[in-house]
Amino acid sequence: QVHVVESGGGLVQAGGSLRLSCAVSGRTSSSTFVGWFRQAPGKEREFVATIRWTGNSTYCADSVKGRFTLSRDRAKNTVHLQMNSLTPEDTAVYYCAASLYGAALSRTGYQYWGQGTQVTVSS
C-alpha cells in the first residue's frame, strides 16, 4: 500500500507561481509513478503530469507544458509540482496519486489518492 499527502495549495494572482508537494510513503517500486490531477468545479478530473518514482521519466499534459515542472526529492520522499505563469483556468483542486503499474495518463491507472489541495488563481 502507498500513501500520498498533498500540500502547498493556496491563492495566487494570475501570472504567479505555486509549488505543490506530495509526500509519498509505503511500498513503492521501480514501476511506481506519482501523478498529479486536477478537478475544477463542474468538470471531470483531468491529468496534469506524472513522474517515475525511481527515475526521471515525466509526462505532462499539453495544457501545462512549459509552465508546470515535476521533480523528485528522494531524500524527503516527496514529489514537487512547480506551477508557473498561472491563469484563472488553472483554478482547481489538485490531487496527488500513485500508480504501482507504470505510467498512466488517466485516473483509472492510479490506485492511491490524496485528499487534494485547493489552488485558486485570481484574475
Side-chain angles (χ1 to χ4, degrees), residues 1-93:
Q1 191 167 359
V2 175
H3 296 279
V4 293
V5 179
E6 309 95 337
S7 62
L11 173 64
V12 64
Q13 288 187 332
S17 300
L18 275 177
R19 189 177 79 161
L20 305 183
S21 298
C22 177
V24 181
S25 60
R27 296 176 64 86
T28 58
S29 72
S30 60
S31 298
T32 300
F33 272 72
V34 177
W36 286 93
F37 288 74
R38 65 186 182 185
Q39 188 165 17
K43 295 187 177 181
E44 293 189 355
R45 194 170 300 187
E46 65 173 358
F47 170 78
V48 175
T50 192
I51 185 169
R52 183 184 292 275
W53 182 241
T54 58
N56 293 317
S57 298
T58 60
Y59 304 89
C60 290
D62 289 342
S63 58
V64 304
K65 279 182 181 177
R67 300 189 300 124
F68 291 11
T69 304
L70 274 175
S71 63
R72 293 177 301 115
D73 184 337
R74 291 290 304 275
K76 296 183 178 180
N77 290 333
T78 301
V79 170
H80 299 293
L81 180 68
Q82 178 66 43
M83 307 185 296
N84 299 326
S85 302
L86 287 163
T87 74
E89 287 69 36
D90 295 314
T91 295
V93 177

